[in-house]
Amino acid sequence: MFRWLPVIVCSGCMVWGGVSQAVELRTQTLVPLSNAPAVVAARDMNWNFTPDLVVANGASNTITVIPVSAFSGMESATDYAVGSGPVAVALADFSGNGYVDIAVANQLAGTVSILNNRAVAGVEFNPATSYAAGSGPVAIVAGLFNGDLYNDLVVVNQASNSVTVLINSGTGTFPTAVSYGVGSSPRAIVAADFDGNGSLDLAVINQGSNSISLLLNTGNGLFAAPLTHLLGSTPAAIAVLDMDRNGTLDLAITHAATDSLSLLSNNGSGGFTFVASYSMGGNPGALLAIDMNGDGYDDLVVANTGSGTISLLENNRKGAFVLGQMAAVGTTPVSIVAADLDVDGDSDLVISNAGSSNLSLLMNDTDFRPAPFQFADQTDIPVGTVVVSNVVTLTGMTGWGKIVISQGEYSVSTDSGVTWSPWSAAYPLAATAGDQIKLRVTSSAQGYTSVNVDMRIGGVLDTFTVRTFGDSVPDPFLFVDQTGVALGSTVFSNTITVTGIDIDTSISIVGGLYSVNGEAFTTAVGFVKNGDTVQLRATAASLKGEPVNVALYIGGLSDIFTITTTAANSSGGGGGILDLWQLLLLVPLLRRGSYHAT
């Protein structure tokens, strides 16, 4: 059933910073089909987290639905009848039940077929319901065009040079249709907000007039008269991308007759300017914009109908592209879709080959996960300090790993530390092998407290921890000594406030008691924190003039609170005032004249 073909890999593909990386597409598998496919589309139809495939079969007036499972791969396919000449498919939830439905543009019937998802465990659809479109519909796109929550449709009518807007009633039916004229022989369409007003606009390729018709959404699903932008010869397909990540949506267009691809830059209001052209394989047709290597920038995949190949153009992260790979597929590839078939987090490619009646599967084996890396934790950091980590160098990856940081900022160098990107929590979006990364974060405002920075690159995690030291020595404090207190009285000190510490600090006392924040007085060793108030209590001496010293210790700093009782009368060692008892003893002697002071 399967046939293996070689894949040609580019070995010198340039990317941002001059680092050579390439998407690795595994040798393809060919999946045979019973009919020649016109187009292939992919969405998860049954909530099993794998994208299922829908193939339009123009010759048999059917579509083929191929369920895909992460465990068993492609399962049994089912065909559903649609209108005559199905050539385009749009997948979206039209009925509002949370399951993806199918819309098919039938070129020969001039209709759109809607197949509603039965919302069962398998992938099953109700029979098709048809709605009139213009003459010769060849392309279709779904979107929220009128501002409600239900997906509408726009169909490109090649034979009538128009587009038809089908408005969803809210139940999956489309009773209202409005048509707009465009250029000659329109062939393809994309929907995007080109003027930045929050509504989906339309860009239509007109192959007959070598132009683009831009229809800007005026609200409620109505569009202004088309603006025309001239193109090169025979435009074949169109894709939307932000090639330079400036926030505006640009366009890529293939040109079949000149074997080329052109890029048009958006001026932000819906005006487009030609910026570059690239040579492709023979007769390039279908075009897909998708990030294939995980660097956050859109790459381009082109189906070369005439040469049976696909060309991969990798974005160099500066808005230009280089040929990253060319791979052989089936005969006459006419459609490309991206789908993560193996559920490994990257975009694989499915190509429908009309000439060989099969699908080509190219699995993306690009390695987005670096080898484990480690930022060295830092301790004993002052509070509120900006800390920069060590530098780690990424290894072990072939693609670009998405960068996610929990707090703080990071900076990336692509030239061995010569230059660094600005500190940011969101730029650049990804890094690759050889890139160097460092982190920056502010330590906690509290002592003995950790700040943890989680850094994920391509899903690989390391945590950078910054821990502060604790200042346990308070600012100097002072208790005011007291004198002349009554004998044996209870004395209270002034109240001091603890400042200058950022961790709980020990407190102890000798010779008295203390109270914290007005609580009970105690002699037990305890702890205080910044902002606590402390007051002392002691009992005065029972003798006059005797001091009592109370020593309070907080975190190694101390002060002595001294209280002294009322002073005793004293002669002072001669010539002083005599005590009363001495006078009483001297009175008889003075009367006899026998006392002589010496």
Side-chain angles (χ1 to χ4, degrees):
M1 178 179 294
F2 303 117
R3 181 163 61 92
W4 298 85
L5 295 178
V7 175
I8 304 169
V9 179
C10 171
S11 61
C13 305
M14 295 179 59
V15 290
W16 177 66
V19 180
S20 295
Q21 295 291 344
V23 174
E24 296 182 354
L25 293 176
R26 190 192 319 159
T27 302
Q28 66 160 343
T29 299
L30 293 180
V31 179
L33 298 172
S34 58
N35 299 285
V39 70
V40 62
R43 285 286 297 273
D44 181 5
M45 302 283 193
N46 60 348
W47 287 94
N48 70 345
F49 304 105
T50 54
D52 307 298
L53 302 178
V54 178
V55 182
N57 309 304
S60 62
N61 302 329
T62 61
I63 61 167
T64 300
V65 177
I66 308 174
V68 178
S69 167
F71 301 100
S72 57
M74 292 188 178
E75 301 176 355
S76 298
T78 303
D79 288 343
Y80 294 87
V82 292
S84 178
V87 293
V89 173
L91 306 180
D93 178 11
F94 300 119
S95 60
N97 66 353
Y99 284 76
V100 173
D101 307 307
I102 303 173
V104 184
N106 305 304
Q107 183 177 16
L108 300 181
T111 61
V112 173
S113 295
I114 304 297
L115 293 87
N116 286 321
N117 197 321
R118 293 185 59 192
V120 295
V123 181
E124 298 179 18
F125 292 86
N126 293 322
T129 301
S130 293
Y131 297 88
S135 178
V138 294
I140 188 169
V141 64
L144 303 176
F145 294 107
N146 65 343
D148 63 13
L149 300 178
Y150 301 97
N151 283 293
D152 309 305
L153 290 168
V154 180
V155 184
V156 175
N157 306 304
Q158 189 173 47
S160 56
N161 299 330
S162 66
V163 296
T164 299
V165 180
L166 299 170
I167 300 299
N168 194 332
S169 65
T171 61
T173 61
F174 298 85
T176 303
V178 180
S179 293
Y180 298 84
V182 291
S184 173
S185 189
R187 177 185 175 108
I189 187 172
V190 289
D193 182 10
F194 294 113
D195 56 2
N197 68 351
S199 298
L200 287 178
D201 309 308
L202 302 172
V204 181
I205 282 185
N206 306 305
Q207 193 169 60
S209 52
N210 295 327
S211 65
I212 293 176
S213 293
L214 180 66
L215 290 83
L216 298 179
N217 196 327
T218 61
N220 298 322
L222 301 176
F223 293 87
L227 304 173
T228 301
H229 298 271
L230 295 179
L231 297 174
S233 178
T234 59
I238 186 171
V240 178
L241 72 162
D242 183 0
M243 58 186 172
D244 49 9
R245 292 195 62 85
N246 67 349
T248 59
L249 297 177
D250 311 306
L251 294 174
I253 298 165
T254 54
H255 302 271
T258 57
D259 295 341
S260 63
L261 176 143
S262 59
L263 294 176
L264 282 72
S265 177
N266 189 341
N267 64 7
S269 58
F272 291 91
T273 303
F274 172 83
V275 292
S277 179
Y278 298 87
S279 295
M280 294 290 98
N283 193 18
L287 174 63
L288 174 68
I290 189 75
D291 178 12
M292 291 294 293
N293 58 8
D295 66 352
Y297 286 74
D298 290 324
D299 306 304
L300 294 170
V301 184
V302 181
N304 302 304
T305 306
S307 58
T309 60
I310 62 108
S311 296
L312 171 61
L313 297 175
E314 293 191 51
N315 195 321
N316 72 350
R317 299 172 63 93
K318 297 178 182 179
F321 293 82
V322 292
L323 180 61
Q325 189 166 344
M326 183 173 284
V329 291
T331 305
T332 319
V334 293
S335 177
I336 312 169
V337 67
D340 185 6
L341 296 175
D342 50 5
V343 199
D344 63 351
D346 55 36
S347 295
D348 308 307
L349 297 177
V350 182
I351 297 95
S352 60
N353 305 302
S356 51
S357 297
N358 54 25
L359 299 177
S360 294
L361 309 183
L362 284 83
M363 309 305 292
N364 191 341
D365 284 346
T366 308
D367 188 356
F368 305 99
R369 293 174 60 87
F373 53 89
Q374 186 173 43
F375 294 99
D377 297 339
Q378 297 189 30
T379 58
D380 293 333
I381 302 300
V383 297
T385 300
V386 176
V387 178
V388 176
S389 74
N390 60 301
V391 174
V392 299
T393 301
L394 299 182
T395 60
M397 57 201 304
T398 58
W400 294 75
K402 183 179 180 181
I403 300 176
V404 179
I405 191 171
S406 61
Q407 60 179 312
E409 300 171 304
Y410 63 86
S411 180
V412 178
S413 174
T414 64
D415 53 11
S416 301
V418 177
T419 58
W420 292 86
S421 68
W423 289 107
S424 172
Y427 175 84
L429 296 173
T432 190
D435 286 354
Q436 294 181 320
I437 299 182
K438 58 185 177 182
L439 308 180
R440 184 174 75 174
V441 70
T442 301
S443 65
S444 173
Q446 303 295 323
Y448 287 149
T449 303
S450 295
V451 172
N452 296 318
V453 180
D454 291 334
M455 167 64 75
R456 293 182 185 271
I457 303 175
V460 177
L461 169 69
D462 186 56
T463 300
F464 174 49
T465 299
V466 174
R467 184 172 177 82
T468 54
F469 65 73
D471 186 357
S472 61
V473 179
D475 297 330
F477 53 89
L478 179 67
F479 293 102
V480 180
D481 296 339
Q482 297 185 29
T483 59
V485 302
L487 301 178
S489 61
T490 299
V491 179
F492 295 89
S493 73
N494 58 301
T495 299
I496 60 104
T497 299
V498 179
T499 59
I501 60 174
D502 48 41
I503 61 171
D504 290 352
T505 301
S506 63
I507 182 172
S508 60
I509 196 168
V510 175
L513 301 91
Y514 70 90
S515 169
V516 177
N517 297 329
E519 297 179 357
F521 285 91
T522 181
T523 60
V525 175
F527 291 90
V528 291
K529 61 181 180 299
N530 208 57
D532 283 349
T533 59
V534 180
Q535 187 179 35
L536 309 184
R537 190 183 78 185
T539 301
S542 58
L543 297 176
K544 290 184 177 183
E546 289 293 323
V548 170
N549 295 317
V550 180
L552 184 76
Y553 299 88
I554 300 177
L557 194 68
S558 64
D559 186 51
I560 296 177
F561 173 49
T562 300
I563 56 175
T564 307
T565 52
T566 303
N569 293 329
S570 171
S571 64
I577 300 175
L578 299 177
D579 288 339
L580 178 59
W581 66 273
Q582 291 176 312
L583 290 174
L584 292 175
L585 292 174
L586 290 175
V587 168
L589 297 175
L590 291 173
R591 288 177 177 175
R592 293 194 294 268
S594 58
Y595 174 75
H596 299 280
T598 59

